[in-house]
Amino acid sequence: MAAQRTQTLVLIGHGMVGHRLLEALAERGALADPAVPDGPGWRVTVLAEEDVPAYDRVHLSSVFTGTDPNQLGLSTPEFLTGHGIDLRLGDPAEHIDTAARTVTTTSGAVVAYDALVLATGSYPFVPPIPGADAPGCFTYRTLYDVDALTAYAEQARTGVVIGGGLLGLEAAGALRTLGLATHVVEFAPRLMPLQVDDGGAAALRATIESMGVAVHTGVGAAEVETDGEGRARHLKLSNGERLPADVVVFSAGVRPRDRLAREAGLAVGDRGGVAVDERCRTSDPYVYAVGECAQTSDGRVYGLVAPGYQMAEAVADQLAGSGATVFTGADTSTKLKLLGADVASFGDPFADGRDGGPRATQIVFSDGREGVYKKLLLGPEGQLLGGILVGDAEAYGSLKPHAGRRLPAPPEAFLLPAGAAGAQPPGADALPDDAVVCSCHNVTKGAVSGAIAEHGLTDVGGIKRCTKAGTGCGGCVNTLRAVLDAAGVERRKGLCEHFPELSRPEIYALVKSEHIRSFTELMERYGSGTASTPAGTGTDASAHASADASTHAGSGCTVCKPVVANVLGTLAPELGLRHVLDGEQAALQDSNDLFLANLQKDGTYSVVPRVPGGEITAEQLIAIGEVARDHGLYSKITGGQRIDLFGARKEELPAIWRKLIAVGFESGQAYGKSLRTVKSCVGSRFCRFGQGDSVQLAIDLELRYRGLRAPHKIKGGVSGCLRECAEARGKDIGVIATAGGWNLYVCGNGGTSPRHADLLASDLSAAGLFALIDRFLMYYVRTGERFERTSAWLERIGGGTAHLREVLIEDSLGICAELEAQMDRHVAAYRDEWQAVLDDPAALARFEPHVAGVEFLEPGRGRAAVLADGTEAALFRDGDGEVYAVGNRDPFTGADVIANGIMGSRDGVPVVASPLHKQEFDLRTGACLDDPAISLPVLPVPPTRR
C-alpha cells in the first residue's frame, strides 16, 4: 500500500505506540514532503484524546518525584512540522464510517482517509463495587491522573491500591512517595501473578513489606465506604476487614479500547481487542490496529510497550510498501524496579508441560534474608525455557538472549551470588549474533556488534544513539556493556575522566610521595584537561600550586572527589591535615562523610555511636534511650553489636552528638570507608569454653584502628575459642583464641559475595598480632582500588595468602617497619570527628537546614535554600563564582537531598550527583544525564544580599 501519490493516513491516538508508528514511517521515507504539494507519500492527521502530545507512560511515576512532565515528551514541534503531520490535540475520534472512509471527531470535524490506524490503547478496569466513583477514588494511566492524585493526596493520610500487578505496585510506590501510609490489595493469592511464581512473590512481598507497605493477598475489594461528605474513608474487603483509605487507586488491570471498532462493525476478539492479522490489518483492509487495543493473530492482547513497537514496525512496512515485517507474537520479558525491588521474568516463566509443551526442570536459588529468589526452567534438551528473578536481577541481560537455546554454562553460573564458587556467567561472546539483546526495539547482538565496528563506538551511549538498544526499559544495558567488552573495546584503567591515567593506588602513591595536600593541587598537577585550568598545557604546575583552592571546586566528580578525600584522610598525619571537613576537603565528601552520619532513603540520617567490642555501660544505654525518645528516633541493634538510631534530620545531629559524647560515646564511623566494628563473644570472662579474653582484645583492636580511612569498609571479629561465636572468619580481620595465643584470619566478608577469611598466622602473641594487623591494613590501604573489599583485593593482587606472608611476615619488600610506623602515626593523630565538628563553628554552620544567602555558599559544595515563593532550592557555586539553582527534591525517591550531593563535571558539563543513588543532573538545564526522562526543575538564583 505504498503511497505513489499523496494519500491521507489518519492515526487515532497519539500514545507511545502511535508515535512510534510516525517515527517508523519517517525512518522509511514514507511520509509526504510538506514542501512538495501532491508529492508521493503519506500525509498524516493524528486525532488525540489528551491535550498534550505523546509522552513516556513507562516513566509516568517519575512525575510524582518531581520530573517535569515536559521531560517525558516523545514528540517535538520540529518533527511534526518537518513531516507535515497535523496533530489535533483534545479532539478524539467519535465515529468511523468504513464505507465512506471517514472519521468524525468530537468537535464535528470529518476527516477522510486512505488508510486508518487505531492506536487507542486501553482503559483501566474499575470493579463494579459501591463507592467506586466517590471523591478520593482514582485510576492511574495519564498525566491528568497524576496531577489529580497529587493534589488530592495533600489532604490524605492513607491510601489503598486495588491490584498487585505491575501497575498496582507502581501506583503503591507513587502513594508512598506522596507520603501516604500505603496498602496493596490483590485478589490472587500472590503479588504479580502473571509474572512471578509463589517463591518470587514471597521474596517480593517481604521486600515491599519491609518498606512499610502493607500487602493483602487472596482477598478482593467489596466496597469503598465514604464519610458524611461522600469522600472515601475506608475500603471494605471481601473478608470483612476494613482498611483506612482516604485515597483508593484502582489498578486491577486494563481493557482494550475497542468501542470505535465495534461500532464500525470491525471484528473484535471474544474478550475484547480489535482482531488483526499478522500484518496488524483488521477485518477492513484499509484499517489497522496496533498496541493495547489490538488482539493479535496469536489471540493475545499485549499490555507492554515493546510488542506495541513491533506492531508499529509491521504497519509501517505495510504503508511504506515493503510489507516484509509481520507480527505473530512477542517476547514479554520484562525487568523493572518496583518499590526498590528488582523484578524480572523472561521466556515462559511458568513452562512445565503447559499446553502440551515440554516438562521443565527447575533450578532455584533462594535467600530469604536478602529477599532474593531466582528460578530457571530447562527443557528436556537443556534449552532455557524461561526464568524469574526477584531481588537480584543482575543476570537478566545474560539469560534473556538465551531463551529457547541451551545455556553456554551451568545454570549455577547465572544464579549463585557473585563471588560464590561456580558463579561466573560467560561473557557476551557466548551469545550468537541473532540473539535479541534489546526486546523493546528488537535489536540483536549482531546489530550491536556491527554498529560498534562500523562507527567505532566505545560506550553504551554510542550504542543507544546508533541502534536504539537500551533506550526502552533499560534492562539490556549490562548486556550492551558485555558486547563492548567482547568486541575488545578497552575500558580506561583510570579512576574517571578527570584522572584517566591514574588508579586509586597510584593517586595514593603520588599524594604520599609528593606531599600533595589538596584536591586542587592534585588536579593542577595530574588532572585531565576537563578542569578549569587544563593540565598539560605547558603551564608550569608549580605556578598554580598557590592558586585559590576554589579554582577546581566545581571540577572532579562523584568518583574522584570521594577517593581523593579518602586518601587525604588516610594520609592526614603525614600531610599535617586535621579534619575531613576542614576547608576544601568538605567539598570532596560524599553526603555520609559530609554530615558524619548515614543518609537514609527518606533524606534523614542514622547515628551510630562507637561501642568497642560490643561492651556498653548502663548509663550509656540509658542515654541512647533518652536520645531516641527525645528526638523521635527508631532504634535497632546492629549485626556489629552496636545500636543504630534512625530518622535524625541533619540539623539535629550536633545536638544528638553532644548528648552521646557526654556519656563517653564517640563517632562509630558507620558512615565512612573505614573501620566499622570489631565484634566479639564474651570469651574467657564468662564462657566456660573461652581460651582468651575476646572482649578486651576486640576493644583494643577497635580503639587502635578507629578512624582509619580505607578503600572500603573494614570489619573485624574476635572469638574466644574455636567455636567461633563472633563469626570472625566472615570478617576482613578475624582473630580466634587458641591454647597457644591468637590465630589471625584475613580477607573474609559477608554480604552478597560471602567469603571465609584465610589463615595468615597462628598462635601469635598480642604484640605480634597487633604488629601483623598494622602491616596488613596499611598494605591494603596503599594498594586497594576504589570500593574494593579485602576479599576482592586478595584475589586481584595474586599469590593469595602466600604473597601476604612474603610481604607482611618475611618482609620481602622491606616495608614492614614503614607500615607499622605509619599506623603508629595514625593512632597518635586520632581525634573524634563528631567532637571536632562541635569545636568548629564553620563546620557546624553546614548543619543548618538552609543557607542564609548566596554569599555564604562554599565553592563546590551545595546548600539548601528557601526561595521567596517558598520553594526549596539546591544552590551550588562553582570555582569561577557561577551560581546554579535547581530543585532540592530527588526525583527518583522524593527526598529533599540534592543540595547534599557532590558537585562536579561530566564531559565538561557542570553536574550534581544525587547523594542517594548517584544519578547526575546538568545544573544548567536540570536534565538527568543517566535517564533522559527525568529532570530537576531549574529555579531562579536568589540575589546576593547587600
PDB file of all heavy atoms in Angstrom, residues 666-684:
ATOM      1  N   GLU A 666      31.616   8.175  71.148  1.00  0.00           N
ATOM      2  CA  GLU A 666      32.236   8.943  70.069  1.00  0.00           C
ATOM      3  C   GLU A 666      31.682   8.411  68.752  1.00  0.00           C
ATOM      4  O   GLU A 666      30.896   7.465  68.740  1.00  0.00           O
ATOM      5  CB  GLU A 666      33.763   8.794  70.102  1.00  0.00           C
ATOM      6  CG  GLU A 666      34.245   7.370  69.853  1.00  0.00           C
ATOM      7  CD  GLU A 666      35.756   7.237  69.869  1.00  0.00           C
ATOM      8  OE1 GLU A 666      36.424   8.165  70.345  1.00  0.00           O
ATOM      9  OE2 GLU A 666      36.268   6.210  69.402  1.00  0.00           O
ATOM     10  N   SER A 667      32.095   9.007  67.658  1.00  0.00           N
ATOM     11  CA  SER A 667      31.620   8.565  66.350  1.00  0.00           C
ATOM     12  C   SER A 667      31.984   7.108  66.106  1.00  0.00           C
ATOM     13  O   SER A 667      33.135   6.708  66.289  1.00  0.00           O
ATOM     14  CB  SER A 667      32.229   9.423  65.238  1.00  0.00           C
ATOM     15  OG  SER A 667      32.000   8.833  63.967  1.00  0.00           O
ATOM     16  N   GLY A 668      30.984   6.335  65.657  1.00  0.00           N
ATOM     17  CA  GLY A 668      31.250   4.950  65.284  1.00  0.00           C
ATOM     18  C   GLY A 668      31.688   4.808  63.844  1.00  0.00           C
ATOM     19  O   GLY A 668      31.998   3.711  63.393  1.00  0.00           O
ATOM     20  N   GLN A 669      31.726   5.918  63.110  1.00  0.00           N
ATOM     21  CA  GLN A 669      32.160   5.966  61.711  1.00  0.00           C
ATOM     22  C   GLN A 669      31.471   4.920  60.835  1.00  0.00           C
ATOM     23  O   GLN A 669      32.070   4.374  59.916  1.00  0.00           O
ATOM     24  CB  GLN A 669      33.680   5.839  61.622  1.00  0.00           C
ATOM     25  CG  GLN A 669      34.369   7.080  62.180  1.00  0.00           C
ATOM     26  CD  GLN A 669      35.848   7.103  61.914  1.00  0.00           C
ATOM     27  OE1 GLN A 669      36.530   6.151  62.262  1.00  0.00           O
ATOM     28  NE2 GLN A 669      36.332   8.172  61.322  1.00  0.00           N
ATOM     29  N   ALA A 670      30.194   4.682  61.137  1.00  0.00           N
ATOM     30  CA  ALA A 670      29.416   3.780  60.291  1.00  0.00           C
ATOM     31  C   ALA A 670      29.211   4.380  58.907  1.00  0.00           C
ATOM     32  O   ALA A 670      28.772   3.694  57.986  1.00  0.00           O
ATOM     33  CB  ALA A 670      28.064   3.500  60.943  1.00  0.00           C
ATOM     34  N   TYR A 671      29.499   5.662  58.761  1.00  0.00           N
ATOM     35  CA  TYR A 671      29.292   6.383  57.504  1.00  0.00           C
ATOM     36  C   TYR A 671      30.483   6.307  56.574  1.00  0.00           C
ATOM     37  O   TYR A 671      30.376   6.655  55.399  1.00  0.00           O
ATOM     38  CB  TYR A 671      29.003   7.859  57.806  1.00  0.00           C
ATOM     39  CG  TYR A 671      29.984   8.464  58.795  1.00  0.00           C
ATOM     40  CD1 TYR A 671      31.237   8.920  58.397  1.00  0.00           C
ATOM     41  CD2 TYR A 671      29.660   8.560  60.147  1.00  0.00           C
ATOM     42  CE1 TYR A 671      32.138   9.454  59.307  1.00  0.00           C
ATOM     43  CE2 TYR A 671      30.539   9.098  61.061  1.00  0.00           C
ATOM     44  CZ  TYR A 671      31.785   9.541  60.641  1.00  0.00           C
ATOM     45  OH  TYR A 671      32.686  10.067  61.538  1.00  0.00           O
ATOM     46  N   GLY A 672      31.638   5.920  57.052  1.00  0.00           N
ATOM     47  CA  GLY A 672      32.862   6.063  56.269  1.00  0.00           C
ATOM     48  C   GLY A 672      33.380   4.754  55.711  1.00  0.00           C
ATOM     49  O   GLY A 672      33.025   3.660  56.160  1.00  0.00           O
ATOM     50  N   LYS A 673      34.253   4.876  54.706  1.00  0.00           N
ATOM     51  CA  LYS A 673      35.024   3.731  54.239  1.00  0.00           C
ATOM     52  C   LYS A 673      36.191   3.596  55.214  1.00  0.00           C
ATOM     53  O   LYS A 673      37.297   4.084  54.976  1.00  0.00           O
ATOM     54  CB  LYS A 673      35.504   3.953  52.808  1.00  0.00           C
ATOM     55  CG  LYS A 673      34.364   4.090  51.805  1.00  0.00           C
ATOM     56  CD  LYS A 673      33.613   2.765  51.672  1.00  0.00           C
ATOM     57  CE  LYS A 673      32.494   2.882  50.650  1.00  0.00           C
ATOM     58  NZ  LYS A 673      31.292   3.514  51.188  1.00  0.00           N
ATOM     59  N   SER A 674      35.926   2.947  56.313  1.00  0.00           N
ATOM     60  CA  SER A 674      36.880   2.894  57.418  1.00  0.00           C
ATOM     61  C   SER A 674      36.518   1.719  58.307  1.00  0.00           C
ATOM     62  O   SER A 674      35.591   0.955  57.999  1.00  0.00           O
ATOM     63  CB  SER A 674      36.842   4.204  58.217  1.00  0.00           C
ATOM     64  OG  SER A 674      35.517   4.468  58.664  1.00  0.00           O
ATOM     65  N   LEU A 675      37.239   1.577  59.412  1.00  0.00           N
ATOM     66  CA  LEU A 675      36.907   0.512  60.347  1.00  0.00           C
ATOM     67  C   LEU A 675      35.512   0.755  60.922  1.00  0.00           C
ATOM     68  O   LEU A 675      35.222   1.836  61.437  1.00  0.00           O
ATOM     69  CB  LEU A 675      37.925   0.448  61.487  1.00  0.00           C
ATOM     70  CG  LEU A 675      37.598  -0.624  62.534  1.00  0.00           C
ATOM     71  CD1 LEU A 675      37.937  -2.013  62.007  1.00  0.00           C
ATOM     72  CD2 LEU A 675      38.320  -0.367  63.838  1.00  0.00           C
ATOM     73  N   ARG A 676      34.660  -0.260  60.860  1.00  0.00           N
ATOM     74  CA  ARG A 676      33.328  -0.154  61.428  1.00  0.00           C
ATOM     75  C   ARG A 676      33.334  -0.696  62.859  1.00  0.00           C
ATOM     76  O   ARG A 676      33.277   0.055  63.817  1.00  0.00           O
ATOM     77  CB  ARG A 676      32.315  -0.932  60.563  1.00  0.00           C
ATOM     78  CG  ARG A 676      32.178  -0.376  59.134  1.00  0.00           C
ATOM     79  CD  ARG A 676      31.513   1.001  59.111  1.00  0.00           C
ATOM     80  NE  ARG A 676      31.413   1.560  57.781  1.00  0.00           N
ATOM     81  CZ  ARG A 676      30.437   1.294  56.921  1.00  0.00           C
ATOM     82  NH1 ARG A 676      29.484   0.447  57.228  1.00  0.00           N
ATOM     83  NH2 ARG A 676      30.432   1.871  55.730  1.00  0.00           N
ATOM     84  N   THR A 677      33.386  -1.998  62.985  1.00  0.00           N
ATOM     85  CA  THR A 677      33.315  -2.610  64.312  1.00  0.00           C
ATOM     86  C   THR A 677      34.294  -3.769  64.418  1.00  0.00           C
ATOM     87  O   THR A 677      34.758  -4.302  63.403  1.00  0.00           O
ATOM     88  CB  THR A 677      31.905  -3.174  64.585  1.00  0.00           C
ATOM     89  OG1 THR A 677      31.653  -4.252  63.659  1.00  0.00           O
ATOM     90  CG2 THR A 677      30.837  -2.120  64.412  1.00  0.00           C
ATOM     91  N   VAL A 678      34.569  -4.161  65.666  1.00  0.00           N
ATOM     92  CA  VAL A 678      35.244  -5.430  65.926  1.00  0.00           C
ATOM     93  C   VAL A 678      34.316  -6.193  66.877  1.00  0.00           C
ATOM     94  O   VAL A 678      34.205  -5.861  68.055  1.00  0.00           O
ATOM     95  CB  VAL A 678      36.636  -5.243  66.549  1.00  0.00           C
ATOM     96  CG1 VAL A 678      37.276  -6.604  66.792  1.00  0.00           C
ATOM     97  CG2 VAL A 678      37.519  -4.390  65.638  1.00  0.00           C
ATOM     98  N   LYS A 679      33.642  -7.163  66.335  1.00  0.00           N
ATOM     99  CA  LYS A 679      32.644  -7.923  67.076  1.00  0.00           C
ATOM    100  C   LYS A 679      33.322  -8.950  67.984  1.00  0.00           C
ATOM    101  O   LYS A 679      34.385  -9.476  67.645  1.00  0.00           O
ATOM    102  CB  LYS A 679      31.726  -8.621  66.067  1.00  0.00           C
ATOM    103  CG  LYS A 679      30.542  -9.361  66.642  1.00  0.00           C
ATOM    104  CD  LYS A 679      29.705  -9.933  65.499  1.00  0.00           C
ATOM    105  CE  LYS A 679      28.501 -10.688  66.018  1.00  0.00           C
ATOM    106  NZ  LYS A 679      27.699 -11.236  64.885  1.00  0.00           N
ATOM    107  N   SER A 680      32.699  -9.247  69.101  1.00  0.00           N
ATOM    108  CA  SER A 680      33.310 -10.249  69.990  1.00  0.00           C
ATOM    109  C   SER A 680      32.256 -11.092  70.667  1.00  0.00           C
ATOM    110  O   SER A 680      31.099 -10.680  70.819  1.00  0.00           O
ATOM    111  CB  SER A 680      34.164  -9.558  71.062  1.00  0.00           C
ATOM    112  OG  SER A 680      33.338  -8.951  72.044  1.00  0.00           O
ATOM    113  N   CYS A 681      32.678 -12.285  71.081  1.00  0.00           N
ATOM    114  CA  CYS A 681      31.876 -13.079  72.005  1.00  0.00           C
ATOM    115  C   CYS A 681      32.310 -12.686  73.429  1.00  0.00           C
ATOM    116  O   CYS A 681      33.144 -11.798  73.604  1.00  0.00           O
ATOM    117  CB  CYS A 681      32.106 -14.570  71.764  1.00  0.00           C
ATOM    118  SG  CYS A 681      33.815 -15.085  72.064  1.00  0.00           S
ATOM    119  N   VAL A 682      31.772 -13.339  74.464  1.00  0.00           N
ATOM    120  CA  VAL A 682      32.167 -12.953  75.831  1.00  0.00           C
ATOM    121  C   VAL A 682      33.500 -13.571  76.241  1.00  0.00           C
ATOM    122  O   VAL A 682      34.126 -13.139  77.211  1.00  0.00           O
ATOM    123  CB  VAL A 682      31.069 -13.334  76.850  1.00  0.00           C
ATOM    124  CG1 VAL A 682      29.813 -12.551  76.572  1.00  0.00           C
ATOM    125  CG2 VAL A 682      30.784 -14.838  76.817  1.00  0.00           C
ATOM    126  N   GLY A 683      33.964 -14.565  75.472  1.00  0.00           N
ATOM    127  CA  GLY A 683      35.287 -15.115  75.723  1.00  0.00           C
ATOM    128  C   GLY A 683      35.477 -15.679  77.119  1.00  0.00           C
ATOM    129  O   GLY A 683      34.531 -16.124  77.780  1.00  0.00           O
ATOM    130  N   SER A 684      36.728 -15.639  77.583  1.00  0.00           N
ATOM    131  CA  SER A 684      37.076 -16.266  78.861  1.00  0.00           C
ATOM    132  C   SER A 684      36.513 -15.523  80.065  1.00  0.00           C
ATOM    133  O   SER A 684      36.568 -16.032  81.181  1.00  0.00           O
ATOM    134  CB  SER A 684      38.598 -16.367  78.986  1.00  0.00           C
ATOM    135  OG  SER A 684      39.192 -15.081  78.892  1.00  0.00           O
TER     136      SER A 684
END
